[in-house]
Amino acid sequence: MPAIIAREGKGPRRWAGIGFAVPAVLLLLSFFALPVFGLLLRSVTEPQFGLQNYAELFATSTYARVLFNTFLVAGVVTLFSLLLGFPVAWLLAIMPDRWSRIVFAIILLSMWTNLLARTYAWMVLLQRTGVINKTLMALGIIDEPLALVNNLTGVTIGMVYIMLPFIILPLHATLRAIDPAILNAAALCGAGRWQIFRRVLLPLSAPGAAAGALMVFVTSLGYFVTPTLLGGTANMMLAGMIAQLIQSLLNWGLGGAAAFILLSVTLAIYALQLRYFNGSAVVPGGR
């Protein structure tokens, strides 16, 4: 009998605090779920009911190229962010605490700097008469200025710089959580530096790398300011195309279809991350 009473009491206790979640649920429904549903509805009803907007996105070469540019840039930015962010995160993990805090503060400060200001700074640095081209020409490395803006090269450089903190933070948290005794044990067992890195350090840091890569890739897919300023209209990405379709052309159907494709890809990538790294992600900035 006591067991029955205890079992029956679990139900009310389980739902006792549901009232505290009601404001958050209403907020999400009002400002996220309903607008997304409305956008999805317009993508299949304007100008007429059907999937013609989605067919046009994939069939028209211009829109298909924008989709290709978006995923290409997001993938390249994620790759370079990993390659550059891993050494920085490792250095932060093995540095003395004093120097680690200073470098960490510099990284955070770069995140807090206005995005538009940082993008304009890269426009100045990358232009044909900018510091980078002048320095390379002064060193005799190049004979004429390189085209580093209004193309995907400039977009990639600017976005890698902006995305680096998003991959350094989770990687740093994961690397700091690795017990150095594990690496020492591998060395005592005869493993070389490359073997320790490939067979011990990389697998242990995989959750942080996956969390950072997911954050960078998903954020890059929907980026607007940096691709627009550094890439120009000839190298438009999906977020810029959506803004142009809705704001300039008032084509809500096609813009809604593009937005829903972006949302679907983002959710699919997030579901894959949960499937293969569920429970292993580390909170950015953790110790």
Side-chain angles (χ1 to χ4, degrees), residues 119-221:
T119 304
Y120 274 118
W122 274 111
M123 291 179 66
V124 174
L125 291 172
L126 296 174
Q127 62 184 342
R128 296 180 67 86
T129 58
V131 175
I132 294 177
N133 271 317
K134 284 186 175 180
T135 303
L136 293 176
M137 292 179 69
L139 294 174
I141 298 175
I142 58 175
D143 296 325
E144 57 183 23
L146 299 174
L148 298 177
V149 289
N150 294 326
N151 51 37
L152 294 181
T153 302
V155 174
T156 302
I157 293 173
M159 288 185 63
V160 167
Y161 161 74
I162 292 169
M163 293 297 168
L164 268 177
F166 294 99
I167 210 155
I168 290 174
L169 296 181
L171 264 176
H172 169 258
T174 304
L175 292 172
R176 284 298 297 267
I178 297 174
D179 190 350
I182 298 175
L183 306 180
N184 293 333
L188 290 174
C189 290
R193 291 184 178 181
W194 171 246
Q195 286 181 311
I196 294 174
F197 174 75
R198 183 173 58 88
R199 303 183 65 178
V200 180
L201 189 61
L202 275 184
L204 290 176
S205 61
L214 173 72
M215 197 181 307
V216 170
F217 188 81
V218 168
T219 307
S220 299
L221 286 177

Side-chain angles (χ1 to χ4, degrees), residues 58-70:
F58 291 102
T60 306
S61 60
T62 302
Y63 298 143
R65 184 162 58 86
V66 170
L67 289 171
F68 176 77
N69 286 345
T70 301

Side-chain angles (χ1 to χ4, degrees), residues 14 25 41 43-44 53 61 65 79 88 99 110 125 137 142 147 149 151 169 192 215 225-227 239 248 253 274:
R14 183 183 302 174
V25 172
L41 196 62
S43 72
V44 295
N53 290 316
S61 60
R65 184 162 58 86
L79 176 62
V88 176
W99 291 105
S110 71
L125 291 172
M137 292 179 69
I142 58 175
V149 289
N151 51 37
L169 296 181
M215 197 181 307
V225 174
T226 304
S248 302
L274 288 179

Side-chain angles (χ1 to χ4, degrees), residues 78-138:
T78 303
L79 176 62
F80 277 99
S81 297
L82 269 174
L83 293 177
L84 296 175
F86 194 98
V88 176
W90 175 246
L91 285 175
L92 283 171
I94 63 176
M95 272 182 179
D97 285 343
R98 177 185 176 185
W99 291 105
S100 177
R101 284 194 291 268
I102 293 174
V103 177
F104 209 84
I106 294 173
I107 294 173
L108 291 177
L109 186 63
S110 71
M111 294 180 65
W112 297 334
T113 306
N114 183 268
L115 174 63
L116 195 59
R118 286 184 285 168
T119 304
Y120 274 118
W122 274 111
M123 291 179 66
V124 174
L125 291 172
L126 296 174
Q127 62 184 342
R128 296 180 67 86
T129 58
V131 175
I132 294 177
N133 271 317
K134 284 186 175 180
T135 303
L136 293 176
M137 292 179 69

